[in-house]
Amino acid sequence: MYAALPLLTAGALLMLLLLQFRHRGSHQVEPRAETEPDALDVLSFRGCSRYFFDGGSNMGEAVGAFARGHFYQCAMHAPPRNHRAGWEAMGKQEREAVMAPLREPATFCIRSFEAAPPLLPMLRVEEAFLRARGFNVSFIDGALSNRTTADEPRTLWRFARHRWGETAVALGFEEVHVEGRPVAVSSRTVRARSYDLNEVLRQALRHNPAAVIALRLDVEGDEWWMLERLVAAPELLCAVSFLFAEFHSAANAAQRDRLAAHGLAPDAFETLRKRVHAAMEQVPHCRLKLYWRSFWASCGDKQRFEWRVGPQATAAGEDEIAGKEVQRELNVPSARPRAASRRGLLQ
């Protein structure tokens, strides 16, 4: 009898394992957004107390503008409707104190996401330029979106025959680039990495719960779904201090009516505005101070009506895009203190 105990025990264990396997097979578990446990490690959050997350690198204009302190100017001069209710009652010094972190771009870890892989080699040049000046900056090969995966299909549209002439859009190309400018030349589907915005924010807060976060979204139509999901998580929305967003296909009634084809209500822009501002005013300890929203720019880049007649959109080939305006000197101030010159020490 006692000799049979090990056999019975082994049999019981086998039965438990079979039951567990059967249970797992019949129970559907919703997949988590972070499909790869280490997918966000490339963002290198450690040691960061402030973050600038830039959705939509393009040519790196917004990152360069942020490094020059331009976002502070956007915040200070934004219409009062973009601020919290008490903004207009504040004095100049109080307003400056509220927006002070944006005045110190060198204190931010800058992570800029680009959905069109062909643009990354050129962005690496700007990355090296900024790092040489002391900025903690990385251009990320992947879209900022609502899903973390290494294999997301997306359509790249070519609008010009030069190295900057491709873009990824979430709506129709003509819905993002209105009035027929620029004109799409061709399109192709690629499979590339993407990063879940909400999970990026959670990971940053795990490393530093008190972090100051600035978020910019110029994601060619994907902002509708990303902001909808972010607003549905008020603890994450209210962990962001400064939010800059450009909205596409919403500048007039005709454009807004076309949103229905994508499952969006014509009043989606106003609905999001009300929900964001309700969180700003009503969620306890909400850090969100600014919700910059525009149909033409998201701060740090050209107005869309300016861009579509500029060199990136209109250059016929590589010779034109290599001109002085595009291959610019960014004139970014160094984040490192300048060493005193010998002459300065003697004076």
Side-chain angles (χ1 to χ4, degrees), residues 188-251:
R188 61 192 175 106
T189 300
V190 299
R191 305 189 75 90
R193 185 173 291 281
S194 66
Y195 296 87
D196 183 322
L197 168 62
N198 285 20
E199 194 56 35
V200 167
L201 294 174
R202 287 192 184 96
Q203 188 81 337
L205 293 167
R206 288 188 196 109
H207 284 283
N208 190 335
V212 173
I213 298 175
L215 171 64
R216 172 187 174 269
L217 295 177
D218 184 4
V219 286
E220 309 301 82
D222 214 10
E223 67 278 353
W224 297 105
W225 294 277
M226 293 170 67
L227 286 171
E228 176 67 31
R229 189 158 169 265
L230 180 59
V231 170
E235 76 285 358
L236 290 180
L237 174 67
C238 283
V240 176
S241 294
F242 312 101
L243 174 55
F244 302 84
E246 178 179 343
F247 284 87
H248 299 81
S249 196

Short mmCIF file of all heavy atoms in Angstrom, two decimals, residues 188-251:
data_model
loop_
_atom_site.label_atom_id
_atom_site.label_comp_id
_atom_site.label_asym_id
_atom_site.label_seq_id
_atom_site.Cartn_x
_atom_site.Cartn_y
_atom_site.Cartn_z
N ARG A 188 3.65 51.90 -50.63
CA ARG A 188 4.10 50.53 -50.38
C ARG A 188 3.82 50.20 -48.93
O ARG A 188 3.72 51.08 -48.07
CB ARG A 188 5.58 50.36 -50.69
CG ARG A 188 6.51 51.23 -49.84
CD ARG A 188 7.93 51.22 -50.40
NE ARG A 188 8.82 52.12 -49.69
CZ ARG A 188 9.77 51.72 -48.84
NH1 ARG A 188 9.94 50.43 -48.57
NH2 ARG A 188 10.57 52.61 -48.26
N THR A 189 3.69 48.92 -48.66
CA THR A 189 3.43 48.46 -47.30
C THR A 189 4.71 47.88 -46.71
O THR A 189 5.41 47.09 -47.37
CB THR A 189 2.33 47.39 -47.27
OG1 THR A 189 1.13 47.96 -47.80
CG2 THR A 189 2.05 46.91 -45.85
N VAL A 190 5.04 48.29 -45.50
CA VAL A 190 6.19 47.75 -44.78
C VAL A 190 5.71 47.20 -43.45
O VAL A 190 4.62 47.53 -42.98
CB VAL A 190 7.28 48.83 -44.55
CG1 VAL A 190 7.79 49.37 -45.87
CG2 VAL A 190 6.75 49.96 -43.67
N ARG A 191 6.50 46.38 -42.84
CA ARG A 191 6.23 45.87 -41.50
C ARG A 191 7.36 46.39 -40.61
O ARG A 191 8.53 46.15 -40.88
CB ARG A 191 6.14 44.35 -41.47
CG ARG A 191 5.12 43.79 -42.46
CD ARG A 191 4.89 42.30 -42.25
NE ARG A 191 4.07 42.06 -41.07
CZ ARG A 191 2.73 42.00 -41.10
NH1 ARG A 191 2.09 42.18 -42.24
NH2 ARG A 191 2.05 41.76 -39.99
N ALA A 192 6.98 47.11 -39.57
CA ALA A 192 8.00 47.77 -38.75
C ALA A 192 7.53 47.85 -37.31
O ALA A 192 6.39 47.51 -36.97
CB ALA A 192 8.29 49.16 -39.31
N ARG A 193 8.40 48.33 -36.46
CA ARG A 193 8.12 48.36 -35.02
C ARG A 193 7.20 49.51 -34.67
O ARG A 193 7.20 50.55 -35.32
CB ARG A 193 9.44 48.49 -34.24
CG ARG A 193 9.26 48.42 -32.73
CD ARG A 193 10.60 48.39 -32.02
NE ARG A 193 11.29 47.13 -32.25
CZ ARG A 193 11.03 45.99 -31.62
NH1 ARG A 193 10.04 45.94 -30.74
NH2 ARG A 193 11.72 44.92 -31.87
N SER A 194 6.41 49.31 -33.62
CA SER A 194 5.60 50.39 -33.06
C SER A 194 5.63 50.27 -31.54
O SER A 194 5.92 49.20 -30.98
CB SER A 194 4.16 50.33 -33.57
OG SER A 194 3.51 49.16 -33.10
N TYR A 195 5.33 51.38 -30.87
CA TYR A 195 5.38 51.45 -29.42
C TYR A 195 4.06 52.00 -28.88
O TYR A 195 3.58 53.04 -29.36
CB TYR A 195 6.54 52.34 -28.96
CG TYR A 195 7.89 51.80 -29.35
CD1 TYR A 195 8.45 52.10 -30.59
CD2 TYR A 195 8.61 50.98 -28.48
CE1 TYR A 195 9.69 51.59 -30.95
CE2 TYR A 195 9.84 50.47 -28.83
CZ TYR A 195 10.38 50.77 -30.07
OH TYR A 195 11.60 50.27 -30.44
N ASP A 196 3.51 51.33 -27.91
CA ASP A 196 2.26 51.73 -27.28
C ASP A 196 2.49 52.96 -26.41
O ASP A 196 3.27 52.92 -25.46
CB ASP A 196 1.75 50.55 -26.43
CG ASP A 196 0.41 50.79 -25.78
OD1 ASP A 196 0.16 51.93 -25.34
OD2 ASP A 196 -0.37 49.84 -25.67
N LEU A 197 1.83 54.07 -26.75
CA LEU A 197 2.01 55.31 -26.01
C LEU A 197 1.74 55.12 -24.52
O LEU A 197 2.53 55.56 -23.67
CB LEU A 197 1.10 56.41 -26.57
CG LEU A 197 0.97 57.68 -25.72
CD1 LEU A 197 2.31 58.37 -25.57
CD2 LEU A 197 -0.06 58.63 -26.31
N ASN A 198 0.62 54.50 -24.18
CA ASN A 198 0.28 54.33 -22.77
C ASN A 198 1.32 53.50 -22.04
O ASN A 198 1.67 53.79 -20.89
CB ASN A 198 -1.10 53.68 -22.64
CG ASN A 198 -2.24 54.65 -22.94
OD1 ASN A 198 -2.04 55.67 -23.59
ND2 ASN A 198 -3.43 54.34 -22.48
N GLU A 199 1.84 52.48 -22.70
CA GLU A 199 2.84 51.65 -22.06
C GLU A 199 4.17 52.40 -21.93
O GLU A 199 4.90 52.22 -20.95
CB GLU A 199 3.04 50.35 -22.83
CG GLU A 199 3.80 49.27 -22.08
CD GLU A 199 3.16 48.93 -20.74
OE1 GLU A 199 1.92 48.95 -20.62
OE2 GLU A 199 3.92 48.64 -19.79
N VAL A 200 4.49 53.25 -22.90
CA VAL A 200 5.69 54.09 -22.80
C VAL A 200 5.59 54.98 -21.57
O VAL A 200 6.54 55.13 -20.79
CB VAL A 200 5.88 54.92 -24.08
CG1 VAL A 200 6.92 56.02 -23.87
CG2 VAL A 200 6.28 54.03 -25.25
N LEU A 201 4.42 55.60 -21.38
CA LEU A 201 4.23 56.47 -20.23
C LEU A 201 4.32 55.68 -18.92
O LEU A 201 4.95 56.13 -17.95
CB LEU A 201 2.88 57.17 -20.32
CG LEU A 201 2.72 58.17 -21.48
CD1 LEU A 201 1.29 58.69 -21.55
CD2 LEU A 201 3.70 59.33 -21.35
N ARG A 202 3.70 54.50 -18.89
CA ARG A 202 3.77 53.68 -17.66
C ARG A 202 5.21 53.32 -17.32
O ARG A 202 5.62 53.37 -16.16
CB ARG A 202 2.93 52.41 -17.83
CG ARG A 202 1.43 52.63 -17.78
CD ARG A 202 0.68 51.32 -17.65
NE ARG A 202 -0.74 51.53 -17.70
CZ ARG A 202 -1.50 51.42 -18.79
NH1 ARG A 202 -0.92 51.09 -19.95
NH2 ARG A 202 -2.79 51.63 -18.76
N GLN A 203 5.96 52.95 -18.35
CA GLN A 203 7.35 52.54 -18.11
C GLN A 203 8.17 53.72 -17.61
O GLN A 203 8.99 53.57 -16.69
CB GLN A 203 7.94 52.00 -19.41
CG GLN A 203 9.32 51.38 -19.26
CD GLN A 203 9.26 49.95 -18.75
OE1 GLN A 203 8.28 49.55 -18.12
NE2 GLN A 203 10.30 49.18 -19.02
N ALA A 204 7.95 54.89 -18.18
CA ALA A 204 8.67 56.08 -17.71
C ALA A 204 8.35 56.38 -16.26
O ALA A 204 9.23 56.72 -15.46
CB ALA A 204 8.32 57.28 -18.60
N LEU A 205 7.08 56.24 -15.89
CA LEU A 205 6.66 56.52 -14.52
C LEU A 205 7.14 55.46 -13.55
O LEU A 205 7.33 55.74 -12.36
CB LEU A 205 5.14 56.66 -14.47
CG LEU A 205 4.59 57.89 -15.21
CD1 LEU A 205 3.09 57.79 -15.40
CD2 LEU A 205 4.95 59.18 -14.46
N ARG A 206 7.33 54.23 -14.02
CA ARG A 206 7.91 53.20 -13.15
C ARG A 206 9.32 53.59 -12.74
O ARG A 206 9.74 53.37 -11.61
CB ARG A 206 7.92 51.84 -13.86
CG ARG A 206 6.56 51.19 -14.01
CD ARG A 206 6.68 49.78 -14.55
NE ARG A 206 5.41 49.29 -15.04
CZ ARG A 206 5.11 49.10 -16.31
NH1 ARG A 206 6.02 49.32 -17.24
NH2 ARG A 206 3.92 48.66 -16.66
N HIS A 207 10.06 54.15 -13.68
CA HIS A 207 11.43 54.56 -13.38
C HIS A 207 11.46 55.82 -12.53
O HIS A 207 12.37 55.99 -11.73
CB HIS A 207 12.21 54.77 -14.68
CG HIS A 207 12.62 53.52 -15.36
ND1 HIS A 207 13.68 52.76 -14.93
CD2 HIS A 207 12.10 52.85 -16.40
CE1 HIS A 207 13.82 51.69 -15.70
NE2 HIS A 207 12.86 51.72 -16.60
N ASN A 208 10.49 56.71 -12.73
CA ASN A 208 10.46 57.96 -11.95
C ASN A 208 9.02 58.45 -11.85
O ASN A 208 8.53 59.15 -12.75
CB ASN A 208 11.33 59.02 -12.62
CG ASN A 208 11.52 60.23 -11.73
OD1 ASN A 208 10.71 60.52 -10.86
ND2 ASN A 208 12.61 60.97 -11.94
N PRO A 209 8.32 58.09 -10.77
CA PRO A 209 6.91 58.49 -10.63
C PRO A 209 6.69 60.00 -10.63
O PRO A 209 5.59 60.46 -10.92
CB PRO A 209 6.49 57.87 -9.29
CG PRO A 209 7.47 56.77 -9.05
CD PRO A 209 8.76 57.24 -9.65
N ALA A 210 7.72 60.77 -10.29
CA ALA A 210 7.58 62.23 -10.22
C ALA A 210 8.07 62.92 -11.49
O ALA A 210 8.22 64.14 -11.51
CB ALA A 210 8.35 62.76 -9.01
N ALA A 211 8.31 62.16 -12.55
CA ALA A 211 8.89 62.73 -13.76
C ALA A 211 8.00 63.80 -14.38
O ALA A 211 6.76 63.71 -14.34
CB ALA A 211 9.14 61.62 -14.79
N VAL A 212 8.62 64.82 -14.95
CA VAL A 212 7.93 65.82 -15.76
C VAL A 212 7.90 65.29 -17.19
O VAL A 212 8.95 64.94 -17.75
CB VAL A 212 8.64 67.18 -15.71
CG1 VAL A 212 8.00 68.16 -16.68
CG2 VAL A 212 8.62 67.73 -14.29
N ILE A 213 6.72 65.23 -17.79
CA ILE A 213 6.57 64.64 -19.12
C ILE A 213 5.95 65.66 -20.07
O ILE A 213 4.89 66.23 -19.79
CB ILE A 213 5.69 63.38 -19.08
CG1 ILE A 213 6.35 62.31 -18.20
CG2 ILE A 213 5.46 62.83 -20.49
CD1 ILE A 213 5.50 61.07 -18.01
N ALA A 214 6.61 65.88 -21.19
CA ALA A 214 6.06 66.67 -22.30
C ALA A 214 5.82 65.70 -23.45
O ALA A 214 6.68 64.87 -23.77
CB ALA A 214 7.02 67.78 -22.72
N LEU A 215 4.65 65.79 -24.06
CA LEU A 215 4.27 64.86 -25.13
C LEU A 215 3.81 65.66 -26.35
O LEU A 215 2.97 66.55 -26.24
CB LEU A 215 3.14 63.96 -24.64
CG LEU A 215 2.45 63.06 -25.68
CD1 LEU A 215 3.43 62.04 -26.26
CD2 LEU A 215 1.25 62.35 -25.05
N ARG A 216 4.38 65.33 -27.49
CA ARG A 216 3.97 65.94 -28.75
C ARG A 216 3.48 64.86 -29.70
O ARG A 216 4.14 63.83 -29.87
CB ARG A 216 5.15 66.68 -29.40
CG ARG A 216 4.86 67.19 -30.81
CD ARG A 216 6.12 67.75 -31.45
NE ARG A 216 5.91 68.12 -32.84
CZ ARG A 216 6.11 67.32 -33.89
NH1 ARG A 216 6.52 66.06 -33.71
NH2 ARG A 216 5.91 67.75 -35.12
N LEU A 217 2.33 65.09 -30.33
CA LEU A 217 1.77 64.13 -31.28
C LEU A 217 1.52 64.82 -32.61
O LEU A 217 0.67 65.70 -32.72
CB LEU A 217 0.46 63.54 -30.75
CG LEU A 217 0.53 62.69 -29.48
CD1 LEU A 217 -0.86 62.25 -29.06
CD2 LEU A 217 1.45 61.50 -29.68
N ASP A 218 2.30 64.43 -33.61
CA ASP A 218 2.05 64.81 -35.00
C ASP A 218 2.16 63.52 -35.80
O ASP A 218 3.15 63.26 -36.47
CB ASP A 218 3.05 65.86 -35.46
CG ASP A 218 2.75 66.34 -36.88
OD1 ASP A 218 1.74 65.91 -37.46
OD2 ASP A 218 3.53 67.15 -37.41
N VAL A 219 1.14 62.67 -35.67
CA VAL A 219 1.22 61.28 -36.12
C VAL A 219 0.27 61.00 -37.29
O VAL A 219 -0.18 59.88 -37.48
CB VAL A 219 0.96 60.32 -34.94
CG1 VAL A 219 2.16 60.27 -34.02
CG2 VAL A 219 -0.30 60.72 -34.16
N GLU A 220 0.00 62.04 -38.06
CA GLU A 220 -0.69 61.92 -39.34
C GLU A 220 -2.02 61.16 -39.26
O GLU A 220 -2.29 60.27 -40.07
CB GLU A 220 0.24 61.25 -40.37
CG GLU A 220 1.62 61.89 -40.48
CD GLU A 220 1.56 63.36 -40.89
OE1 GLU A 220 1.33 64.21 -39.99
OE2 GLU A 220 1.76 63.68 -42.06
N GLY A 221 -2.83 61.51 -38.29
CA GLY A 221 -4.16 60.93 -38.16
C GLY A 221 -4.32 59.97 -37.02
O GLY A 221 -5.44 59.78 -36.51
N ASP A 222 -3.25 59.35 -36.57
CA ASP A 222 -3.35 58.38 -35.48
C ASP A 222 -3.63 59.05 -34.14
O ASP A 222 -3.95 58.38 -33.16
CB ASP A 222 -2.06 57.56 -35.39
CG ASP A 222 -2.31 56.12 -34.96
OD1 ASP A 222 -3.49 55.71 -34.92
OD2 ASP A 222 -1.34 55.41 -34.66
N GLU A 223 -3.51 60.40 -34.09
CA GLU A 223 -3.76 61.11 -32.84
C GLU A 223 -5.18 60.88 -32.31
O GLU A 223 -5.40 60.87 -31.10
CB GLU A 223 -3.51 62.61 -33.01
CG GLU A 223 -4.47 63.35 -33.92
CD GLU A 223 -4.15 63.22 -35.38
OE1 GLU A 223 -3.07 62.66 -35.71
OE2 GLU A 223 -4.95 63.70 -36.21
N TRP A 224 -6.14 60.67 -33.21
CA TRP A 224 -7.53 60.47 -32.77
C TRP A 224 -7.63 59.27 -31.84
O TRP A 224 -8.21 59.34 -30.75
CB TRP A 224 -8.45 60.29 -33.97
CG TRP A 224 -8.53 61.48 -34.87
CD1 TRP A 224 -7.94 61.62 -36.10
CD2 TRP A 224 -9.21 62.71 -34.61
NE1 TRP A 224 -8.23 62.86 -36.63
CE2 TRP A 224 -9.01 63.55 -35.74
CE3 TRP A 224 -9.97 63.19 -33.55
CZ2 TRP A 224 -9.55 64.82 -35.83
CZ3 TRP A 224 -10.52 64.46 -33.64
CH2 TRP A 224 -10.30 65.26 -34.76
N TRP A 225 -7.08 58.16 -32.27
CA TRP A 225 -7.20 56.93 -31.49
C TRP A 225 -6.25 56.93 -30.29
O TRP A 225 -6.59 56.41 -29.22
CB TRP A 225 -6.94 55.73 -32.39
CG TRP A 225 -8.00 55.58 -33.43
CD1 TRP A 225 -9.22 54.98 -33.30
CD2 TRP A 225 -7.95 56.07 -34.78
NE1 TRP A 225 -9.94 55.06 -34.47
CE2 TRP A 225 -9.19 55.73 -35.40
CE3 TRP A 225 -7.01 56.77 -35.52
CZ2 TRP A 225 -9.49 56.04 -36.73
CZ3 TRP A 225 -7.32 57.10 -36.84
CH2 TRP A 225 -8.53 56.74 -37.42
N MET A 226 -5.08 57.50 -30.45
CA MET A 226 -4.12 57.54 -29.34
C MET A 226 -4.65 58.41 -28.19
O MET A 226 -4.56 58.02 -27.02
CB MET A 226 -2.77 58.05 -29.84
CG MET A 226 -2.08 57.10 -30.80
SD MET A 226 -0.63 57.82 -31.60
CE MET A 226 0.46 57.98 -30.20
N LEU A 227 -5.20 59.57 -28.52
CA LEU A 227 -5.71 60.44 -27.47
C LEU A 227 -6.97 59.87 -26.84
O LEU A 227 -7.19 60.02 -25.63
CB LEU A 227 -5.97 61.84 -28.03
CG LEU A 227 -4.72 62.67 -28.29
CD1 LEU A 227 -5.06 63.95 -29.04
CD2 LEU A 227 -4.01 63.01 -26.98
N GLU A 228 -7.80 59.23 -27.63
CA GLU A 228 -8.99 58.59 -27.07
C GLU A 228 -8.60 57.57 -26.01
O GLU A 228 -9.19 57.52 -24.93
CB GLU A 228 -9.78 57.91 -28.20
CG GLU A 228 -10.99 57.12 -27.74
CD GLU A 228 -12.10 57.99 -27.16
OE1 GLU A 228 -12.24 59.15 -27.60
OE2 GLU A 228 -12.81 57.51 -26.25
N ARG A 229 -7.59 56.79 -26.30
CA ARG A 229 -7.14 55.77 -25.35
C ARG A 229 -6.43 56.39 -24.15
O ARG A 229 -6.56 55.92 -23.03
CB ARG A 229 -6.22 54.78 -26.07
CG ARG A 229 -5.85 53.55 -25.26
CD ARG A 229 -5.43 52.43 -26.17
NE ARG A 229 -4.82 51.36 -25.43
CZ ARG A 229 -3.52 51.22 -25.25
NH1 ARG A 229 -2.68 52.11 -25.77
NH2 ARG A 229 -3.03 50.20 -24.55
N LEU A 230 -5.67 57.45 -24.40
CA LEU A 230 -4.98 58.12 -23.30
C LEU A 230 -5.99 58.78 -22.35
O LEU A 230 -5.85 58.69 -21.13
CB LEU A 230 -4.01 59.17 -23.85
CG LEU A 230 -3.21 59.98 -22.82
CD1 LEU A 230 -2.35 59.06 -21.96
CD2 LEU A 230 -2.33 61.02 -23.52
N VAL A 231 -7.01 59.43 -22.90
CA VAL A 231 -8.02 60.08 -22.08
C VAL A 231 -8.79 59.05 -21.25
O VAL A 231 -9.24 59.34 -20.14
CB VAL A 231 -8.97 60.90 -22.97
CG1 VAL A 231 -10.18 61.39 -22.19
CG2 VAL A 231 -8.23 62.10 -23.56
N ALA A 232 -8.91 57.84 -21.78
CA ALA A 232 -9.61 56.78 -21.05
C ALA A 232 -8.81 56.28 -19.85
O ALA A 232 -9.33 55.51 -19.04
CB ALA A 232 -9.94 55.62 -21.99
N ALA A 233 -7.56 56.69 -19.76
CA ALA A 233 -6.70 56.33 -18.62
C ALA A 233 -6.27 57.63 -17.93
O ALA A 233 -5.14 58.10 -18.12
CB ALA A 233 -5.49 55.54 -19.09
N PRO A 234 -7.17 58.26 -17.15
CA PRO A 234 -6.87 59.59 -16.60
C PRO A 234 -5.62 59.63 -15.74
O PRO A 234 -4.98 60.68 -15.64
CB PRO A 234 -8.12 59.93 -15.78
CG PRO A 234 -8.85 58.64 -15.59
CD PRO A 234 -8.50 57.78 -16.76
N GLU A 235 -5.24 58.50 -15.13
CA GLU A 235 -4.02 58.50 -14.32
C GLU A 235 -2.79 58.71 -15.19
O GLU A 235 -1.79 59.28 -14.74
CB GLU A 235 -3.91 57.20 -13.52
CG GLU A 235 -3.48 55.97 -14.30
CD GLU A 235 -4.57 55.37 -15.19
OE1 GLU A 235 -5.70 55.89 -15.19
OE2 GLU A 235 -4.29 54.36 -15.87
N LEU A 236 -2.85 58.28 -16.46
CA LEU A 236 -1.74 58.51 -17.39
C LEU A 236 -1.83 59.89 -18.01
O LEU A 236 -0.83 60.60 -18.13
CB LEU A 236 -1.74 57.44 -18.48
CG LEU A 236 -1.36 56.02 -18.06
CD1 LEU A 236 -1.42 55.08 -19.25
CD2 LEU A 236 0.03 55.99 -17.43
N LEU A 237 -3.02 60.28 -18.44
CA LEU A 237 -3.20 61.61 -19.00
C LEU A 237 -2.72 62.67 -18.01
O LEU A 237 -2.02 63.62 -18.39
CB LEU A 237 -4.68 61.85 -19.34
CG LEU A 237 -5.05 63.25 -19.81
CD1 LEU A 237 -4.40 63.57 -21.16
CD2 LEU A 237 -6.56 63.42 -19.88
N CYS A 238 -3.07 62.50 -16.76
CA CYS A 238 -2.72 63.49 -15.73
C CYS A 238 -1.29 63.36 -15.24
O CYS A 238 -0.84 64.17 -14.42
CB CYS A 238 -3.71 63.40 -14.57
SG CYS A 238 -5.30 64.19 -14.96
N ALA A 239 -0.56 62.36 -15.72
CA ALA A 239 0.87 62.27 -15.44
C ALA A 239 1.69 63.06 -16.45
O ALA A 239 2.88 63.31 -16.25
CB ALA A 239 1.33 60.81 -15.45
N VAL A 240 1.03 63.48 -17.55
CA VAL A 240 1.67 64.33 -18.56
C VAL A 240 1.49 65.78 -18.14
O VAL A 240 0.40 66.20 -17.75
CB VAL A 240 1.03 64.10 -19.95
CG1 VAL A 240 1.61 65.06 -20.97
CG2 VAL A 240 1.22 62.65 -20.38
N SER A 241 2.56 66.55 -18.20
CA SER A 241 2.48 67.96 -17.81
C SER A 241 2.16 68.89 -18.97
O SER A 241 1.46 69.89 -18.81
CB SER A 241 3.80 68.40 -17.17
OG SER A 241 4.02 67.73 -15.94
N PHE A 242 2.68 68.55 -20.16
CA PHE A 242 2.51 69.43 -21.33
C PHE A 242 2.16 68.55 -22.53
O PHE A 242 2.93 67.64 -22.89
CB PHE A 242 3.78 70.21 -21.62
CG PHE A 242 4.37 70.88 -20.41
CD1 PHE A 242 5.46 70.32 -19.75
CD2 PHE A 242 3.83 72.05 -19.90
CE1 PHE A 242 6.02 70.91 -18.62
CE2 PHE A 242 4.37 72.66 -18.77
CZ PHE A 242 5.46 72.10 -18.13
N LEU A 243 1.03 68.80 -23.16
CA LEU A 243 0.55 67.99 -24.27
C LEU A 243 0.36 68.88 -25.50
O LEU A 243 -0.38 69.87 -25.46
CB LEU A 243 -0.77 67.32 -23.89
CG LEU A 243 -1.51 66.52 -24.97
CD1 LEU A 243 -0.61 65.45 -25.58
CD2 LEU A 243 -2.78 65.89 -24.38
N PHE A 244 1.06 68.54 -26.58
CA PHE A 244 0.99 69.28 -27.83
C PHE A 244 0.49 68.33 -28.91
O PHE A 244 1.09 67.26 -29.12
CB PHE A 244 2.36 69.81 -28.24
CG PHE A 244 3.02 70.71 -27.22
CD1 PHE A 244 3.75 70.17 -26.16
CD2 PHE A 244 2.91 72.09 -27.31
CE1 PHE A 244 4.36 70.99 -25.21
CE2 PHE A 244 3.52 72.92 -26.38
CZ PHE A 244 4.24 72.37 -25.33
N ALA A 245 -0.60 68.67 -29.60
CA ALA A 245 -1.17 67.76 -30.59
C ALA A 245 -1.60 68.51 -31.84
O ALA A 245 -2.20 69.58 -31.75
CB ALA A 245 -2.35 67.00 -30.01
N GLU A 246 -1.27 67.94 -32.98
CA GLU A 246 -1.80 68.42 -34.25
C GLU A 246 -2.88 67.46 -34.71
O GLU A 246 -2.66 66.25 -34.76
CB GLU A 246 -0.70 68.53 -35.32
CG GLU A 246 -1.24 69.00 -36.67
CD GLU A 246 -0.17 69.12 -37.73
OE1 GLU A 246 1.04 69.14 -37.38
OE2 GLU A 246 -0.54 69.18 -38.92
N PHE A 247 -4.04 68.00 -35.06
CA PHE A 247 -5.16 67.17 -35.52
C PHE A 247 -5.28 67.27 -37.03
O PHE A 247 -5.14 68.34 -37.62
CB PHE A 247 -6.46 67.62 -34.86
CG PHE A 247 -6.58 67.19 -33.43
CD1 PHE A 247 -6.05 67.97 -32.41
CD2 PHE A 247 -7.19 66.00 -33.10
CE1 PHE A 247 -6.15 67.58 -31.09
CE2 PHE A 247 -7.30 65.59 -31.78
CZ PHE A 247 -6.77 66.38 -30.77
N HIS A 248 -5.58 66.14 -37.64
CA HIS A 248 -5.68 66.06 -39.09
C HIS A 248 -7.13 65.76 -39.49
O HIS A 248 -7.86 65.09 -38.78
CB HIS A 248 -4.75 64.96 -39.62
CG HIS A 248 -3.31 65.21 -39.31
ND1 HIS A 248 -2.75 64.91 -38.08
CD2 HIS A 248 -2.32 65.77 -40.05
CE1 HIS A 248 -1.47 65.26 -38.08
NE2 HIS A 248 -1.20 65.79 -39.26
N SER A 249 -7.49 66.26 -40.65
CA SER A 249 -8.82 66.09 -41.21
C SER A 249 -9.90 66.62 -40.28
O SER A 249 -10.94 65.99 -40.07
CB SER A 249 -9.10 64.61 -41.53
OG SER A 249 -10.22 64.48 -42.39
N ALA A 250 -9.68 67.81 -39.72
CA ALA A 250 -10.66 68.39 -38.81
C ALA A 250 -10.72 69.91 -38.91
O ALA A 250 -11.36 70.54 -38.08
CB ALA A 250 -10.34 67.98 -37.37
N ALA A 251 -10.09 70.50 -39.91
CA ALA A 251 -10.00 71.95 -39.99
C ALA A 251 -11.30 72.60 -40.46
O ALA A 251 -11.51 73.78 -40.22
CB ALA A 251 -8.86 72.36 -40.91
#
